[in-house]
Amino acid sequence: MPPARRTTGATIGDVASRAGVSRATVSRVMNGLATVDPQIAARVRSAADELDYRPSAAARSLALGRTHTVGYLVPDLTNPAFHGAMRGLSLAAADEGYRVLVADSAERAADEAPLAIETRRRCDALVLCAPRMPQQELVELLPQLQPVILLNRNAEEAGLPLLNVDWASGMRDLLRHLTGLGHRRIAYLAGPPASASNTDRLSGLRNLPAGVELLELECGAMFTDGHEAAGRVLDAEVSAVMAFNDVVAVGLLGALHEFGTDVPGEISVTGFDDIPYARFTAPPLTTAAVPQEEMGRLAWQRLRAILAGGHPHDRVLIRPRLVTRASTARARSTPSGTTRSRS
Amino acid sequence: MPPARRTTGATIGDVASRAGVSRATVSRVMNGLATVDPQIAARVRSAADELDYRPSAAARSLALGRTHTVGYLVPDLTNPAFHGAMRGLSLAAADEGYRVLVADSAERAADEAPLAIETRRRCDALVLCAPRMPQQELVELLPQLQPVILLNRNAEEAGLPLLNVDWASGMRDLLRHLTGLGHRRIAYLAGPPASASNTDRLSGLRNLPAGVELLELECGAMFTDGHEAAGRVLDAEVSAVMAFNDVVAVGLLGALHEFGTDVPGEISVTGFDDIPYARFTAPPLTTAAVPQEEMGRLAWQRLRAILAGGHPHDRVLIRPRLVTRASTARARSTPSGTTRSRS
DNA sequence: TTGTAAGCGTTATCAC
DNA sequence: GTGATAACGCTTACAA
């Protein structure tokens, strides 16, 4: 004899007997199949209401082979750059009865692959943001993960849909903006070395205009990284800094403020992403805007197309939009060689 | 004949036949039940490896009556105040094989209840943050949602565990800090009128010290609300403003900066929550720190205790910690009646 | 239009 | 220690 653990509420069988029909009929009614006599349908519905019946998600998943769940794996759930996409994904998916299962690899590159597999097992599809995973590993992993859409990095080799940002173009726009303002000696606060998008950003900074110098400074992707980089930025005697992203830029702005350095008077600062805070920093941050929430929606569109039987191998490259705010200004006439304030 | 849709990979049956054992034995091996002959266990394991077998989460859920999933319902997935708790919850739950299913009620109070029910159906437990739901409705809803833990608001009537912030105490600390600095005319930028925690915050602002005036200004919970409130704040001729939360405070700081108002020279500003950005605003924000990530972990602890058969009806009240930063300073000698800068 | 029954992939009880 | 086998709650092809 099997175990008799009926912890949950009414089952389809309960509704069936109460309405005096078969379970199949109840199922048809619950799923809105039109082939049911209205009289009976009504009886079933009221029986279901009276019993407060709700179909078991687990049982449906097993029978249908669908969990109605999308996975969303990111390296850090607290990073605001991922929130917009999460919301866009969640809202778009919810419109079609899908929910989002989140997973956080806690910036541990080694955990990304097993976590991705495990998460995918519980879902019908996966949105994968794994910036640190070695390219080789990623390309081998992706096929097992299907349906999957890769976020914020490239892996054309896998022939799978992906949603990437044209990091290089964004950096070029920012650079052009700065050189247009007369900046000639510019620092780039680099992201994590293993980060794919950091490499892409750098590729946008090749072929500098004549007379422009770029200094690459090690940094990272988080607030504290930007904050800690401020000293080195000042030492570098540059008139402008391009931060890896807005989060880093915000950390940097905070530290520069503490040093009493005037932004943009003494140094111009740019970010990347246009997180919601960027509008409200002091000064407001010039940045390359990435439509995060829309990317979440787009990711869902691709996945649902695959789930519906399609094969979109398309690789979408989102071009960021330059947003100029008050953190950048014309370079002072003597951009280098001057002694800067530093308490 | 039933449908033959074997979209997924190897099943327990495949492993069983390959290893020449019964499915029961495979199940025992996969679940680490020690009652299996080591020889056989090894054979099963290698068969599973060769077939790249992974147990079906849906089938396990159905058989076990457990989904190994916790729901997390919040009014706005983009609000940073919820990210810390989400991460704490996600990390703590992951340690025990649980995942987090997120849901966003998109600030629509009317959606909170049905969404909560629907989300809970897919999970073993629920972390519910529903600040706008009418108290009556909430108290009636909670029992159906068990195991559930209520976040950021009170509903003792339901006799269920909850994790709340002592909003009143946080506000008192901030107020005391401001009056200690000589502020006598202070504005409070109120949160959404339906928000439970707004009411709680206000209750901490009763019994003002003699000579202290408090002006309540309508506002909201988001960046733009704080930004838009700046004009009214300046018109109110106060020497200090307490914002509903850090997000509002950041919006306000941005607008004040645009107006050329000196913070804290002309006006002191406080927030609430201590979101990661608060350290890096210009000036850095004085606030009442809420340990979000820890609250996420605590929520998980309660839920797992219930899932394990316990009955923690405890109501945890987290006392925020006053964090003084540069956005607050001594009031100027003539705090009111002076004309303020306003472009 | 409705009912019957097989099957989704596990787990767990009970005999052996 | 291992294997049948019933159950978990639902969907669906097919028969009636």
Side-chain angles (χ1 to χ4, degrees):
Chain A
M1 227 170 304
R5 49 188 129 65
R6 259 285 284 290
T7 61
T8 20
T11 75
I12 198 172
D14 300 332
V15 178
S17 32
R18 184 175 241 270
V21 298
S22 74
R23 296 180 308 175
T25 299
V26 177
S27 174
R28 292 185 188 109
V29 174
M30 297 312 290
N31 294 303
L33 294 228
T35 82
V36 181
D37 181 286
Q39 301 262 333
I40 298 193
R43 214 162 71 225
V44 168
R45 256 187 286 275
S46 58
D49 272 6
E50 288 158 26
L51 296 172
D52 195 29
Y53 166 71
R54 325 251 173 185
S56 147
R60 299 197 79 225
S61 295
L62 184 56
L64 291 168
R66 291 223 166 176
T67 61
H68 296 277
T69 303
V70 210
Y72 182 56
L73 174 58
V74 294
D76 175 8
L77 276 178
T78 62
N79 186 327
F82 301 129
H83 300 323
M86 178 169 64
R87 184 173 223 215
L89 177 66
S90 164
L91 261 34
D95 281 347
E96 295 168 77
Y98 272 73
R99 291 304 172 78
V100 176
L101 192 75
V102 298
D104 185 330
S105 56
E107 300 279 3
R108 289 183 299 254
D111 287 1
E112 287 178 342
L115 246 181
I117 294 175
E118 217 280 285
T119 304
R120 173 62 183 78
R121 294 269 334 148
R122 304 200 186 196
C123 302
D124 297 341
L126 182 66
V127 177
L128 177 65
C129 181
R132 316 254 192 287
M133 193 184 298
Q135 187 75 4
Q136 173 72 11
E137 189 181 351
L138 179 68
V139 172
E140 285 167 11
L141 179 66
L142 279 174
Q144 312 178 33
L145 261 29
Q146 269 177 294
V148 64
I149 187 162
L150 187 64
L151 209 62
N152 288 3
R153 73 180 283 182
N154 208 332
E156 297 211 333
E157 309 91 303
L160 293 174
L162 58 86
L163 213 52
N164 200 1
V165 172
D166 191 342
W167 308 104
S169 134
M171 291 305 277
R172 274 193 298 269
D173 289 346
L174 289 166
L175 180 66
R176 191 175 309 116
H177 169 67
L178 290 174
T179 55
L181 289 170
H183 296 276
R184 292 294 172 262
R185 194 173 151 80
I186 301 172
Y188 169 56
L189 291 184
S195 158
S197 70
N198 182 57
T199 311
D200 292 344
R201 280 175 176 82
L202 273 170
S203 76
L205 299 180
R206 306 211 193 301
N207 306 322
L208 299 172
V212 173
E213 262 183 293
L214 186 79
L215 281 79
E216 186 180 341
L217 302 179
E218 281 181 23
C219 189
M222 321 214 6
F223 287 109
T224 47
D225 298 319
H227 196 259
E228 285 162 9
R232 285 180 292 132
V233 166
L234 292 177
D235 289 342
E237 305 259 318
V238 295
S239 68
V241 198
M242 307 176 75
F244 174 69
N245 62 21
D246 287 354
V247 173
V248 169
V250 170
L252 175 67
L253 285 180
L256 290 177
H257 186 80
E258 289 164 21
F259 282 137
T261 306
D262 178 34
V263 177
E266 298 178 65
I267 298 192
S268 287
V269 173
T270 68
F272 207 115
D273 284 343
D274 196 27
I275 61 176
Y277 303 81
R279 280 183 55 203
F280 300 108
T281 54
L285 191 62
T286 290
T287 190
V290 176
Q292 301 288 356
E293 198 163 325
E294 193 195 342
M295 286 184 73
R297 278 194 300 271
L298 289 174
W300 171 246
Q301 281 176 17
R302 295 298 176 289
L303 292 179
R304 68 151 308 194
I306 299 178
L307 289 171
H311 294 279
H313 329 275
D314 59 336
R315 284 127 226 177
V316 178
L317 200 60
I318 306 271
R319 212 196 130 103
R321 185 174 47 84
L322 177 69
V323 179
T324 59
R325 298 204 182 96
S327 70
T328 48
R330 180 150 290 282
R332 296 200 303 187
S333 42
T334 52
S336 78
T338 32
T339 310
R340 282 223 179 52
S341 60
R342 177 157 179 198
S343 47
Chain B
M1 226 172 303
R5 48 186 130 62
R6 259 284 284 292
T7 62
T8 20
T11 75
I12 198 172
D14 300 332
V15 178
S17 30
R18 185 174 241 270
V21 298
S22 73
R23 295 177 309 173
T25 297
V26 177
S27 174
R28 289 193 267 261
V29 173
M30 297 311 291
N31 293 301
L33 293 227
T35 83
V36 181
D37 182 286
Q39 302 262 333
I40 298 192
R43 215 164 68 226
V44 168
R45 256 187 287 274
S46 58
D49 272 5
E50 288 157 26
L51 296 172
D52 194 29
Y53 166 71
R54 326 251 172 183
S56 147
R60 300 197 78 225
S61 294
L62 184 56
L64 292 168
R66 291 224 167 176
T67 61
H68 296 277
T69 303
V70 210
Y72 182 56
L73 174 58
V74 294
D76 175 7
L77 276 177
T78 62
N79 185 328
F82 300 130
H83 300 323
M86 178 169 65
R87 183 172 222 213
L89 176 67
S90 165
L91 262 33
D95 282 345
E96 295 167 77
Y98 271 74
R99 291 303 173 79
V100 176
L101 192 75
V102 299
D104 185 329
S105 56
E107 300 279 3
R108 289 183 299 253
D111 287 1
E112 288 178 342
L115 247 180
I117 294 175
E118 218 280 286
T119 305
R120 173 61 184 78
R121 294 268 334 148
R122 304 202 186 192
C123 302
D124 297 341
L126 182 66
V127 178
L128 177 66
C129 181
R132 315 254 193 288
M133 195 184 298
Q135 188 74 4
Q136 172 73 11
E137 189 181 350
L138 179 67
V139 173
E140 285 167 12
L141 178 66
L142 279 174
Q144 312 177 34
L145 260 29
Q146 268 177 295
V148 64
I149 186 161
L150 187 63
L151 208 64
N152 288 3
R153 72 179 284 181
N154 208 332
E156 297 211 333
E157 310 90 302
L160 293 174
L162 59 86
L163 213 52
N164 201 1
V165 172
D166 192 343
W167 309 104
S169 134
M171 292 305 277
R172 274 193 298 269
D173 289 346
L174 289 166
L175 181 65
R176 193 174 309 116
H177 168 67
L178 289 174
T179 56
L181 288 170
H183 295 277
R184 292 295 172 263
R185 194 175 151 79
I186 301 172
Y188 168 57
L189 291 185
S195 158
S197 70
N198 183 57
T199 311
D200 292 345
R201 280 173 175 84
L202 273 170
S203 77
L205 299 179
R206 306 212 192 299
N207 306 323
L208 299 172
V212 173
E213 260 182 296
L214 184 80
L215 280 79
E216 186 182 341
L217 302 179
E218 281 180 24
C219 190
M222 323 213 8
F223 288 109
T224 47
D225 297 319
H227 196 258
E228 286 162 9
R232 286 179 291 132
V233 166
L234 292 177
D235 290 342
E237 305 260 317
V238 295
S239 67
V241 199
M242 308 175 74
F244 174 69
N245 63 21
D246 287 355
V247 173
V248 169
V250 170
L252 175 66
L253 285 179
L256 290 177
H257 185 80
E258 289 164 21
F259 281 138
T261 306
D262 179 33
V263 176
E266 298 177 65
I267 298 192
S268 288
V269 173
T270 67
F272 207 114
D273 285 342
D274 196 27
I275 61 176
Y277 303 80
R279 280 183 54 203
F280 299 107
T281 54
L285 191 62
T286 291
T287 191
V290 176
Q292 300 288 356
E293 199 162 326
E294 193 195 340
M295 287 184 72
R297 279 194 300 271
L298 289 174
W300 171 246
Q301 281 176 18
R302 295 298 175 294
L303 292 179
R304 67 152 308 194
I306 300 177
L307 290 171
H311 292 281
H313 327 275
D314 59 337
R315 283 128 227 177
V316 178
L317 200 60
I318 305 271
R319 212 196 129 103
R321 184 174 48 82
L322 178 68
V323 179
T324 60
R325 299 202 182 97
S327 71
T328 49
R330 182 149 288 283
R332 298 200 301 187
S333 43
T334 52
S336 79
T338 31
T339 310
R340 280 219 181 58
S341 60
R342 178 158 179 199
S343 48

